[in-house]
Amino acid sequence: MKSYQYSIPLALSTLASPTTAFTTPLQRNSLLLVQQPISSSSSSLLLQSTSTNSNAASEDFTIEQYSSCLSPYEEKQSIKNESSKYSIIDARPQWQSNLLKPIKLLRKGAKKVGNAIGATEKTKPGSLILLRCGESEWTKEGRFTGWADPDLVEEGILEVEHAGRLLLSEGYEPDIIYTSRLKRAVKSTWTMLNILEAPYLPVYKSWRLNERNYGALTGLRKVDAAKELGFEVVQAWRNTLKARPPPMKKDDPYFPGKDRRYEDLTEDQIPLTESLMDCMERARPLWEYGIRKQIKQGNTVLVVAHTNTLRGLMQVIDGIGEEDIKEVSMPGGIPFVYKFDSDMKPVAPATGKISQAHTSGVFLEKPGLLKEALKRRKRWEAIVPGTADNDDKETEQQPLTRNRVSTLEQSLLKLKEEQHVAATQGSNAMVIDPNDDGQLIVTNMANGAPATSSTNDDDEDDESEFEEAEVTPTIVQNTDKDISPNIAKQGDTKDPVVVFIRHGRTPHNNLGLFTGWEDPPLAPDGVEDAKNAGRLLKMHGFEFDVVYTSWLTRAIQTAWYCMEELDETWLPTVKSWRLNERMYGALTGKSKQMIANEYGEDQLKKWRRGFKIRPPAVSPYSLSYPGNDYKRTKYVKDLRISLTETIFRSIQAKEFQIHRKFPKSEALWDCMQRSIPFYTQRIIPEAVDKGKRVLITSHENAIRGILMHLCEIPEEAMNQLHLPNGLPLVYNVKRKCITLLDEGTGEDPMEVHDFGPAAQYLFRPCELDDDFFDQMEQQALANQEASKSKEVVST
């Protein structure tokens, strides 16, 4: 009762109006006492600490700092500014956009007139798929998580994989994904992309979708907090619309203002605590001016976020009242799908569909079944040891050998197995999750009866002159000893740099096949290439601000594993076709021997050694033609329209279809004509000119092009430049040179890695600027001070 007596005034203060400041903020040193049972003396200390600090409320936190309202125009501009920092979808160049603006306005006006008189049909809106991120370490322990950043547990990954299979079984194909900047949500998104075989999808990581900030409660166990402060108080903080937990102080270890991922936010955008209403208001502009706009254009949007931000979106979409929101929740592992009419009003669930009270969305599976299936899996693992290990190995190997058809079949079979296990518990199996905020009321639309639940390739013929051959780091016998690369002992986190990493090895390349725009994933050793690159960068203290990669899986995976090792999965990741490998035309998927047999050795050599000689073009009806990959091509707006393909495809489809001029074959020169402008016209103004640290994971020929531009490598030497897989090449923007990172082995990098005869151009001496001499002077002074200190100690 001692702690409960304290909880009454605390509850009154936190249930106050959102426009008033707290008068009794709770210090973290007081709250930490709550994690353990409070004795009589501890209780007195808690009360004394609270009383002492109650007068500091206005100094530490005021509600107006965060709850200040923005006008609709300000909200719209805020979302536009956030979205335009790093464009996640290839857009038209600005000059084209300006040129086409009058035409766009005329088309928009004509469409409005057509809609008004019924002459044109409105674009059918897409669907909205809401998915709660998988279970995290803290959720499993029953702790208030908020903006803290624990990782997923195994069950959480299984939940998201199951949700992905549900989407496949129902035929849902997301066009764009929105998620938060928290690791558990970003990792859930990555897991989902792998299940859907769509890592190329644009992913927008927004702080607005972060979980609700629980203030000073962050990190505390919910059960302990309820026991010591009172169940009603804790439930009020968790479930009511306006109750705020006590704010955290700015010296709190979990204060988001200390986290680099929020450097782009203003001070008043970083909350010290939040009510559910605050969380909703934070997410609402993203819905109004981002997500809703995408759906209205006909795109299916997947939002992978957290319980309270998802509840907030549901509240806005369905107009749920303050009392009713308590009965709305989001179970893990089950997608919740909204459909909309032409006026963007949510469509009511059809008869027989599973929904929940006060909402118009539909669950793709009955809540509770998955949790029971996972429990039975654990019990089975306990009876039959090694089952989980076998499943994990199978899961790891599956992405390396799968193809699009087999993956779909495997996913559906796996889904059947999971549902069969769950079905053995009976159709009414429901599991109460004590960590869920809100109360879940499941409704079957067939009968309307609610059920309540809380819820170098070793080939002697150098293939790398022609294609992106796998250049495994090897010992070079005839190395030019005059070439001395710049070796960095430690990364300078202040200098803007661009780090290039060629993707890890793939099984496709290990077969000696020309890969190009084909899309095999990384092989196990390729995964290690990527992870080792991340570890090396981390060892040298590198931090990045943005990642650029191609839309091919092997490059995207390399970026992911690097970011994971750096613990920077929240970084904005831009995926562009302009960083794709060279397109090999009709040679795609063939080995050198096959090509030599078909075209002759002489012709093969011409294609291999010619800088501007293209291989035979691929047929526009071939599966190897990029324009037939409709899942990806719809995101490309920066290619000119192909008149011939547009006419033929429109006739074939019996409706007008715009088709862009995707490459049917490329010389090395062609590849560089897209990768160099992407760097100079996109990466430089977006990031490099702003002093950002950039990571580029791409392919050998795309990176060659950019290096040719940066290092002034002559055309005749380009085919003689080799890039090892997974080796970071650090370009210092100020000193204009390529640097290698010290791997700590004590070996000469030129004797370990094969960069080819053109290495002399790649590793030119760095320019000596004023900053360099300043650093040398500072280092000399530091050495003198160190010497003096040693002399003093010795005397």
Side-chain angles (χ1 to χ4, degrees):
M1 286 296 295
K2 300 183 183 70
S3 59
Y4 188 72
Q5 290 172 357
Y6 164 76
S7 70
I8 294 175
L10 180 62
L12 291 174
S13 66
T14 55
L15 287 169
S17 169
T19 60
T20 60
F22 287 109
T23 57
T24 57
L26 193 59
Q27 298 289 332
R28 172 160 295 277
N29 61 347
S30 302
L31 271 171
L32 290 176
L33 297 173
V34 182
Q35 296 186 65
Q36 302 296 330
I38 298 181
S39 63
S40 176
S41 58
S42 299
S43 180
S44 300
L45 180 62
L46 177 60
L47 289 167
Q48 183 180 357
S49 174
T50 306
S51 176
T52 302
N53 292 290
S54 61
N55 296 325
S58 59
E59 179 183 343
D60 294 334
F61 178 76
T62 56
I63 296 304
E64 287 81 358
Q65 290 177 343
Y66 182 61
S67 296
S68 57
C69 295
L70 298 177
S71 68
Y73 174 78
E74 290 172 326
E75 289 181 342
K76 187 175 182 179
Q77 286 300 116
S78 175
I79 298 299
K80 185 177 180 180
N81 292 338
E82 291 170 16
S83 304
S84 64
K85 285 181 180 177
Y86 302 108
S87 178
I88 58 176
I89 299 177
D90 285 322
R92 294 184 182 93
Q94 190 60 45
W95 67 270
Q96 285 188 15
S97 298
N98 295 336
L99 189 65
L100 295 173
K101 202 167 187 178
I103 300 175
K104 188 177 179 180
L105 290 173
L106 287 173
R107 288 177 60 188
K108 191 174 181 179
K111 189 174 182 179
K112 281 185 178 180
V113 173
N115 290 335
I117 64 177
T120 59
E121 196 174 312
K122 288 185 178 181
T123 302
K124 182 180 178 181
S127 301
L128 172 65
I129 307 169
L130 304 181
L131 179 67
R132 174 181 164 183
C133 64
E135 187 178 28
S136 71
E137 296 163 346
W138 280 20
T139 305
K140 191 172 185 178
E141 296 173 2
R143 298 184 182 276
F144 288 101
T145 310
W147 284 36
D149 203 27
D151 205 347
L152 294 180
V153 294
E154 181 189 359
E155 290 84 352
I157 295 174
L158 293 174
E159 285 176 354
V160 180
E161 289 176 346
H162 179 80
R165 296 182 192 109
L166 285 171
L167 292 180
L168 285 173
S169 70
E170 297 287 337
Y172 286 102
E173 295 181 351
D175 297 301
I176 187 171
I177 301 179
Y178 286 81
T179 190
S180 76
R181 295 187 187 178
L182 298 172
K183 187 188 301 179
R184 55 194 185 274
V186 177
K187 196 166 185 177
S188 296
T189 301
W190 175 252
T191 303
M192 174 65 74
L193 290 174
N194 283 330
I195 292 295
L196 297 178
E197 273 197 311
Y200 55 84
L201 284 177
V203 177
Y204 182 75
K205 304 167 187 173
S206 174
W207 66 278
R208 294 182 178 275
L209 290 176
N210 277 18
E211 178 56 292
R212 171 187 176 186
N213 190 316
Y214 283 103
L217 298 180
T218 302
L220 301 180
R221 294 182 67 239
K222 297 173 185 177
V223 174
D224 292 341
K227 187 185 299 181
E228 301 299 337
L229 297 177
F231 179 79
E232 293 86 354
V233 175
V234 175
Q235 285 301 96
W237 286 334
R238 293 179 63 190
N239 295 333
T240 57
L241 197 61
K242 297 179 182 179
R244 291 189 183 95
M248 63 172 62
K249 292 181 69 66
K250 291 186 178 181
D251 59 356
D252 191 294
Y254 299 119
F255 173 54
K258 298 178 180 180
D259 197 323
R260 201 171 63 86
R261 79 188 75 191
Y262 305 119
E263 286 180 349
D264 60 325
L265 303 186
T266 60
E267 186 177 353
D268 62 342
Q269 287 178 319
I270 300 177
L272 299 179
T273 185
E274 287 181 309
S275 66
L276 182 56
M277 177 179 284
D278 295 326
C279 185
M280 292 175 178
E281 283 300 304
R282 166 160 54 83
R284 185 182 54 78
L286 185 62
W287 159 256
E288 294 287 351
Y289 306 109
I291 300 172
R292 188 177 184 274
K293 181 180 177 182
Q294 292 289 339
I295 296 172
K296 192 173 182 180
Q297 291 173 353
N299 294 318
T300 295
V301 177
L302 170 62
V303 179
V304 183
H306 313 269
T307 302
N308 287 307
T309 40
L310 295 178
R311 290 171 75 195
L313 292 177
M314 295 159 76
Q315 191 270 343
V316 173
I317 294 169
D318 285 306
I320 303 172
E322 182 175 345
E323 288 299 317
D324 292 339
I325 195 64
K326 300 177 185 178
E327 301 173 353
V328 176
S329 188
M330 273 298 295
I334 309 172
F336 193 67
V337 182
Y338 278 96
K339 294 185 179 297
F340 300 88
D341 61 20
S342 57
D343 296 319
M344 285 301 294
K345 301 294 182 182
V347 177
T351 302
K353 298 293 185 180
I354 302 172
S355 186
Q356 64 172 313
H358 316 298
T359 67
S360 305
V362 172
F363 286 115
L364 297 189
E365 183 181 76
K366 187 173 182 179
L369 297 181
L370 175 60
K371 281 192 175 291
E372 187 58 36
L374 294 177
K375 284 183 178 180
R376 286 179 59 82
R377 181 179 184 268
K378 276 193 171 183
R379 291 197 292 267
W380 180 253
E381 289 168 5
I383 298 171
V384 186
T387 305
D389 295 337
N390 293 334
D391 287 347
D392 291 342
K393 289 177 182 177
E394 186 178 330
T395 303
E396 290 174 4
Q397 293 297 325
Q398 198 178 51
L400 306 176
T401 58
R402 67 190 185 186
N403 55 55
R404 288 179 176 81
V405 177
S406 66
T407 299
L408 178 58
E409 293 171 353
Q410 291 166 3
S411 293
L412 295 179
L413 286 172
K414 185 69 174 177
L415 178 60
K416 273 190 174 182
E417 290 172 8
E418 292 169 345
Q419 292 177 335
H420 175 71
V421 171
T424 60
Q425 291 299 299
S427 59
N428 295 320
M430 297 294 290
V431 178
I432 297 175
D433 184 355
N435 293 319
D436 272 349
D437 284 347
Q439 186 180 40
L440 176 63
I441 299 183
V442 180
T443 307
N444 189 315
M445 300 308 293
N447 49 34
T452 305
S453 167
S454 295
T455 59
N456 194 15
D457 197 343
D458 292 331
D459 197 326
E460 59 183 12
D461 189 5
D462 184 10
E463 190 177 7
S464 66
E465 294 180 10
F466 185 65
E467 76 118 348
E468 52 157 339
E470 300 303 326
V471 185
T472 307
T474 55
I475 302 299
V476 182
Q477 300 298 330
N478 297 316
T479 304
D480 185 352
K481 295 294 183 178
D482 294 332
I483 301 174
S484 180
N486 308 292
I487 306 298
K489 297 288 185 182
Q490 181 178 345
D492 186 349
T493 56
K494 296 179 181 179
D495 282 349
V497 296
V498 180
V499 177
F500 299 91
I501 301 178
R502 184 188 172 194
H503 67 78
R505 289 164 283 182
T506 67
H508 203 83
N509 291 125
N510 291 339
L511 296 174
L513 306 177
F514 290 115
T515 311
W517 287 35
E518 288 287 289
D519 201 25
L522 295 180
D525 49 5
V527 172
E528 283 304 307
D529 290 337
K531 289 183 176 181
N532 288 336
R535 293 169 188 146
L536 184 59
L537 290 167
K538 186 175 183 179
M539 183 175 75
H540 286 269
F542 276 85
E543 294 178 341
F544 295 97
D545 301 297
V546 62
V547 179
Y548 292 88
T549 187
S550 75
W551 72 9
L552 299 175
T553 300
R554 55 195 183 273
I556 298 170
Q557 287 181 324
T558 301
W560 169 261
Y561 290 119
C562 281
M563 289 190 290
E564 195 170 38
E565 292 295 328
L566 291 164
D567 196 21
E568 294 181 341
T569 54
W570 53 270
L571 287 172
T573 304
V574 180
K575 306 164 188 173
S576 173
W577 70 276
R578 291 188 175 273
L579 290 177
N580 277 16
E581 182 50 273
R582 174 185 176 184
M583 205 296 174
Y584 294 117
L587 309 185
T588 301
K590 297 180 180 180
S591 68
K592 288 183 297 179
Q593 191 58 51
M594 294 168 63
I595 297 168
N597 291 338
E598 184 174 355
Y599 298 100
E601 291 283 353
D602 291 340
Q603 185 61 57
L604 175 60
K605 288 180 180 179
K606 288 180 182 178
W607 288 329
R608 288 178 58 232
R609 304 182 189 281
F611 184 66
K612 295 185 178 182
I613 301 177
R614 296 172 182 162
V618 71
S619 165
Y621 299 100
S622 167
L623 291 175
S624 299
Y625 174 54
N628 292 328
D629 189 351
Y630 298 111
K631 291 182 179 181
R632 289 176 166 94
T633 56
K634 61 185 174 185
Y635 300 109
V636 178
K637 304 293 184 184
D638 56 342
L639 263 179
R640 68 184 181 89
I641 295 172
S642 171
L643 182 60
T644 305
E645 290 296 326
T646 296
I647 294 173
F648 283 128
R649 291 176 186 261
S650 297
I651 294 173
Q652 184 181 24
K654 297 181 180 178
E655 64 178 10
F656 183 68
Q657 291 184 349
I658 293 178
H659 190 84
R660 300 190 180 274
K661 197 174 184 62
F662 288 94
K664 298 175 183 177
S665 177
E666 286 182 315
L668 181 56
W669 182 84
D670 297 314
C671 181
M672 294 175 179
Q673 293 309 298
R674 53 177 167 84
S675 64
I676 295 176
F678 183 78
Y679 180 81
T680 57
Q681 299 171 18
R682 176 82 181 272
I683 298 178
I684 287 181
E686 268 189 0
V688 177
D689 284 348
K690 297 177 182 178
K692 303 297 184 181
R693 297 172 70 83
V694 179
L695 175 63
I696 300 176
T697 63
S698 185
H699 312 263
E700 183 168 52
N701 286 312
I703 296 177
R704 276 177 172 176
I706 300 174
L707 293 176
M708 177 184 179
H709 167 73
L710 295 175
C711 302
E712 299 179 355
I713 303 175
E715 291 183 4
E716 59 271 14
M718 284 308 299
N719 282 324
Q720 300 174 351
L721 178 63
H722 307 163
L723 301 180
N725 298 92
L727 181 69
L729 301 175
V730 183
Y731 178 72
N732 189 302
V733 176
K734 290 183 177 179
R735 302 186 63 192
K736 300 179 181 179
C737 61
I738 296 291
T739 302
L740 296 179
L741 299 178
D742 184 9
E743 300 179 39
T745 61
E747 297 179 278
D748 184 348
M750 299 306 297
E751 294 183 357
V752 177
H753 305 296
D754 177 16
F755 293 96
Q760 57 181 315
Y761 300 103
L762 187 63
F763 298 112
R764 288 177 172 172
C766 295
E767 293 183 3
L768 303 182
D769 55 8
D770 292 338
D771 290 340
F772 172 78
F773 291 109
D774 290 341
Q775 290 174 11
M776 293 295 291
E777 186 177 353
Q778 291 173 8
Q779 186 64 44
L781 291 173
N783 291 338
Q784 290 177 7
E785 292 295 330
S787 299
K788 289 179 181 179
S789 299
K790 287 182 180 180
E791 291 175 1
V792 171
V793 171
S794 62
T795 54

